[in-house]
Amino acid sequence: MHGSWATSGGAGLCFRAHFSEKRLSAKLHPRSRIDKLSIRGIRSFDNAQPEVIQFFTPLTLIVGDNGSGKTTIIESLKYATTGEMPPNTKVGGAFIHDPKLCGEKEVLAQVKLQFRDPGGAKIVVSRNISLTVQKNKYPKMKTLDGSLLRQANGERTVMSSRNAALDKWIPQYLGVSKAVLDNVIFCHQDESLWPMSEPGILKKKFDEIFEALKYTKAIDAIKKMQKDYTAELKTLRVAEEFCKDNKSKADKASKESSVLSDDIERLRTELKKLDKTTKEANEKYQDAFNRSSKFNTLHGALETKRNEHQWLRNQTDNLAARLEFRPESDTSLQNELDEYDERLRLRGDHLENQKKKFDQLRRVIELTRDRLQRKHTEAGKYEQQQATHDQNVESRKSIIKESAVRHNIRGYEADLDDVQINEYIQKLSRLYKDQTGKVEQVRRETEKEAQKVQATLNKLGERRSGLQEQISSAKQQLSANDRRIGSTQSELESIDIDEGAEALSKAKVSEIEEDLKQLKEKFKKSSWDSKISDVRAQLREVQGELEQTNSELSQSTKQSKALAHLDFLQKDVSDRERSLETLRGAHNDRLRAIIRDDWNIASLDGDFKSELHRRSTALQNARDRQNNASRDLNQAEAKLESHKNELHKAEKELQTCADIIRKATQEAPDTYLAQLDGIVRDRDTLRKDVDNFDLFQERSKKSFHIAETKNSCDHCKQKFQSEPQRLDFMRRMQKKMEDDTKKEQETKLKAAEEDLMKWRSVGPKHSSWLHQSGSEIPRLRSEIRRLEASKATLVQKSEHCDREVADLKESSDEAKTLEKPIENMVRCQTEISRFSERIKQLSAEKKDTGIARSIEEIQEQLETLNAQIQAKNNLIHKIGGEKQRANDDIQAKELALSRAREDFSRATHQLEQKSRLLKQVEDLRKSNRESRDHIRRLENESQQVRPQISEQEAKLEDIRDRGYRKEQEMNNEATKLSESLQKLSTADQNIQAYEKSGGLSRLSECQQEIHVIRQEIEKADSEQKEVIKEINAIKMELDNHQDSRRIINDNLTYRKAKHDLEVIKKEIDRLSTEEAEFDADHLKEQVRYWLNQYNKHTTETTSKLATMKAKDDQLKKLLEDWQTDYANAAHAYKEAHIKVETTKAAIEDLGRYGSALDKAIMQFHSLKMEEINRIAEELWKRTYRGTDIDTILIRSDGETGKGNRQYNYRVCMVKQEAEMDMRGRCSAGQRVLASIIIRLALAECFGVKCGLIALDEPTTNLDSDNIRSLAESLHDIIRARQQQSNFQLIVITHDEEFLRYMQCADFCDTYFRISRTDRQKSKIEQESVTELVG
């Protein structure tokens, strides 16, 4: 015991030493502190009147009941400093006072905080929010602009700004980061256990607190800068080499430019001399050249005239050789030539007119011949129509005979006239109409009979649907009752009060009432004045008794613990026996029903678990059977649905095929095959006619030849009686030989082929229609009836399994309701046995000591004696003190009585609620049993309806099948009649159409028109021949006129050539005289010499100019290159070299700086972690009263990622030097305590400039020992730092006992109580701390 006190004292000394060090640090580093907080319109605080709370140093207490608004203080502080709203309040405006509570459409909320920064300046920050009610929408929350006022050194600075700026400024003024404010100082109650979070969240929190991201970014920036500089160094080195090369080139260019300048000056002097010599040579050359040019011009003109004279002489000779001389003068010949052109033009115009007339006649003949050809074609067409008419007449006769035999119509076997034919067509029409009427009558009769059966079937279906709806409704009610039973059962399980606990509460009330009654009687009977007299009289006796009592007390102290324990155990045994009897009486009947009549408390737990296991096993087996039945039912329903879908598809396919067939053929599907056969026969007939056409054409040619040569008919072998008869026969044979008849037959064949192809294209659809209607749809209907019967059987089986599961579940749930009472009974019996053994042991030890009185009695006597001795010096004070203590005892008992009555009332209420819930469960189960009986009756009735429905469905299907077959037979007969009538009508219509159109008269008219056209052609041919004769005569005349014109032109040309010869002869004589004056050879020599001299000097000048220009260009280029590239080459090289050297130095410096910063960060992190773990260890050992955890610490495992060091954090607990992760291994109380200690340690380490921390409900989940030790630790922390003027601890709690343990009166005189007004608005009241801690 002394050892433990020594250890505790050592830890306390360590703790005080640590906080003394912190206090010294606080003096060196001034800290910020908060003064006041104003809240208006936040949570339950009124939006009309603000509530203000003032924060003291070193301790501010906030007390209030749950739901009064204590946590709102922390939320408002956090919102004012960081701008962060509480969790889950950003949507819907839950952080703001609800407008509906105050009857307004909009609520304006404000949080105002006054604090001082580390420099002592006063700062007031205001944040404003609005919440507006929207119709049919969530309320709209809007964050308004805030303001910040700073007052320092007598100057006031007001800054109205957006909230983003406030979020940045306020942490700077407080001297602490936003992460520390959020996670450490003003941590919300919902997030207070973040140190126990999963690793990812924990790492994020610690990284924010350590501001790791900022330093990581700095190191990344340094490394990026170093990398950029390294890349830049490569570029600079390339630039340096380039500049160095440019400098070398600049030096070389400078030397070359000097040499070139000297060469250019030398060449310029030489060029001046050459220019003078060249000019002299050029002048002499020009003089010689001019004289030579004049001679050459004369000589050239003379040669030209001589050549021209020779050419004209040749021309005149040639003309004279072939010329027919005319004696007329030149003027007469020219006039004759001009008139001749006019006559020639007139004859040419007449020739063109005749040509146009010829063309017109040619076109008239061509058009007339085209008309003749068309008329021949038209005549052939009329002949073909006449032949077709003859065939139609024969075809009509054969159709009548065939159809009369097919349809059993007598009297039409011989040849028929038009009257008989019309009579037959009418008779056939009447037969078709009668047959169609019979088909419609059969259809109506079948439909009428089917409607009767369908009406019966509909009634049965409606009856079955009604029964199914009733069954479904009953099942839904059953499910609803099961859900209510489950929820009620859960509510029953949540009630942990039983009859034993109620009896204990009642006994406790009685006991406290008795104690209170005794205290009051004792207080009434006490006479304080007589006591004072007795004490004075018996002072010496009391002193003797005091010595004797002290001696007795020293002997009894050793056994006091055992005696007190004995009293406590005897009371506990009595309480447990009373509880056990109460539980036995309350649950005896149900235990006898579930376990057995002679159940025993010793084996109750094992018997109950066996019975519960048996019922659970039976329930699981029933559920397995239920699942199997449900699976079979689902499979059957799936098959049924699949077959129904297939039936629907088949019926849809049947209808689609029928629609396609009707659209393509205009006929019903059942007549398709018969119609197709008729189309094939027609096609075959046309094909046979086309195939035999060539043979028929050969016979026609032969007949035509015989008629033309022998004047006889090849068919009947007789002579023609007249020429018109023979011509008519030949014309008909010629028409049959033409290709147009064959083309017309081929066109009909092509149309028949296309019609047949169209019919055959829907052949697959007709096959599909036959398959669906004949086999597939009847098969699917039969299979659906079989599956529906199977489904009904499976439904009955599934419902039977459902009822079985419901009954077994009800039985199992009923047994589970006894699980907690049996557990309480077994625990009471176990504790009674254990306590009884201990009582026996302690009673035996008491007998051995021989002590008559208990320690309480001896201490009471000592207190009485001491009180009497003290009363001797201060009697009045003593009497008042004793009286006050008596009053306090009475008040404490009254308070205990009130709480005991509340506990008893709560237990009574819960038991009544439990009884009510049990009754509800029983009523619901009874309702379920009645519903199941009702469902069985409805299902039986539904089963009776099913066979009737099946019978009516079979009857309906039979009626429709019989009607369909009968209708098909009559439809076939009607189709045959329709085919015959259609063929006969078509042939008759063709015959009538030909006769009405007048076919024979059109043929004779066409032949007459052919004769007229032939006469027109003959007339046009004769006119065309006359025009051709005239055209030929004009052409001959024009040819003769050309020869006369040529003779006149030749005479005029000859005379002009002779005149030109004389003129040229004179010019030649003049030029010969001028040429004789020049010396041609001397002139040529002079020109050649001076030209050579001039060329020589010019070449030399050109060479030197080229050389000088090349050198000048070279110099110019050198100067341009110098100016462009090399003018600053030396300076650029120097600058590039400096950049390379400085960049190299910068890269080395950045590497050293980055490494130093990384090491500094690691060292800072290591020191901070050591400091945090040291403080956490001291606080844990100081606070935690358990023995399972020696201490706690935070491990930061370093790892390297993306080139930087990162840390993963975990909270560990240490037991006997073994470390284990605390998350998942500690209790709720240990998590709370560890989280508080870690936050205190973080606040100490990171709150250098802000000595503030707020604890919201720190006693949550802590037991009494740990609550007391936490209070003592906080007391020591405050005492160690209370000399620091700006240290502030804010404690928010409802646990007033915790505050008494803290001894708050040592640090503050008042506290703040949060409560609700009559309007349920939160209010803040300042009260004396003595009222809180007594």
Side-chain angles (χ1 to χ4, degrees), residues 274-292:
L274 279 174
D275 184 52
K276 184 178 180 181
T277 306
T278 304
K279 284 182 179 180
E280 293 175 357
N282 187 34
E283 290 174 356
K284 292 181 179 181
Y285 165 72
Q286 287 296 333
D287 180 60
F289 178 77
N290 289 334
R291 288 186 289 121
S292 177

Side-chain angles (χ1 to χ4, degrees), residues 392-544:
N392 287 335
V393 171
E394 294 298 326
S395 176
R396 182 175 64 178
K397 293 179 181 179
S398 63
I399 290 171
I400 290 174
K401 292 178 181 180
E402 290 176 1
S403 60
V405 173
R406 185 190 301 175
H407 303 300
N408 296 322
I409 302 174
R410 305 300 179 187
Y412 296 93
E413 292 79 5
D415 292 336
L416 303 175
D417 55 13
D418 292 342
V419 175
Q420 291 175 325
I421 290 171
N422 292 331
E423 180 185 351
Y424 180 80
I425 293 173
Q426 292 175 3
K427 185 180 288 187
L428 196 63
S429 299
R430 286 196 298 274
L431 286 174
Y432 174 71
K433 187 175 181 180
D434 294 343
Q435 189 67 23
T436 306
K438 290 179 182 179
V439 170
E440 188 63 30
Q441 183 179 0
V442 168
R443 186 181 293 115
R444 286 197 299 270
E445 290 175 355
T446 302
E447 189 64 29
K448 185 176 181 181
E449 189 175 357
Q451 285 177 355
K452 291 180 181 179
V453 178
Q454 185 65 45
T456 305
L457 190 61
N458 291 340
K459 290 179 181 179
L460 292 173
E462 290 174 358
R463 183 181 174 190
R464 183 175 63 177
S465 299
L467 292 173
Q468 290 295 333
E469 289 178 1
Q470 293 180 19
I471 292 171
S472 177
S473 176
K475 287 183 178 179
Q476 290 177 0
Q477 183 63 37
L478 197 63
S479 301
N481 289 345
D482 288 338
R483 287 194 297 272
R484 290 182 61 190
I485 289 171
S487 61
T488 307
Q489 198 70 40
S490 301
E491 193 173 351
L492 275 171
E493 293 175 358
S494 65
I495 299 175
D496 56 355
I497 297 296
D498 53 17
E499 289 77 2
E502 182 191 22
L504 285 176
S505 298
K506 186 175 182 181
K508 187 175 181 180
V509 170
S510 301
E511 182 180 349
I512 294 173
E513 287 177 344
E514 184 65 26
D515 292 343
L516 181 61
K517 183 179 179 182
Q518 292 177 2
L519 286 173
K520 287 182 177 180
E521 290 177 355
K522 182 178 179 181
F523 185 81
K524 188 184 290 185
K525 291 178 181 180
S526 296
S527 177
W528 307 109
D529 295 335
S530 61
K531 276 188 179 182
I532 294 172
S533 300
D534 292 339
V535 168
R536 285 177 178 175
Q538 299 176 2
L539 181 59
R540 297 182 185 87
E541 182 181 353
V542 170
Q543 290 177 346

Side-chain angles (χ1 to χ4, degrees), residues 241-258:
E241 290 296 325
F242 178 74
C243 291
K244 185 177 180 181
D245 185 54
N246 281 348
K247 183 175 178 298
S248 301
K249 291 179 179 179
D251 295 340
K252 183 178 179 182
S254 178
K255 293 178 182 178
E256 289 179 355
S257 62
S258 298

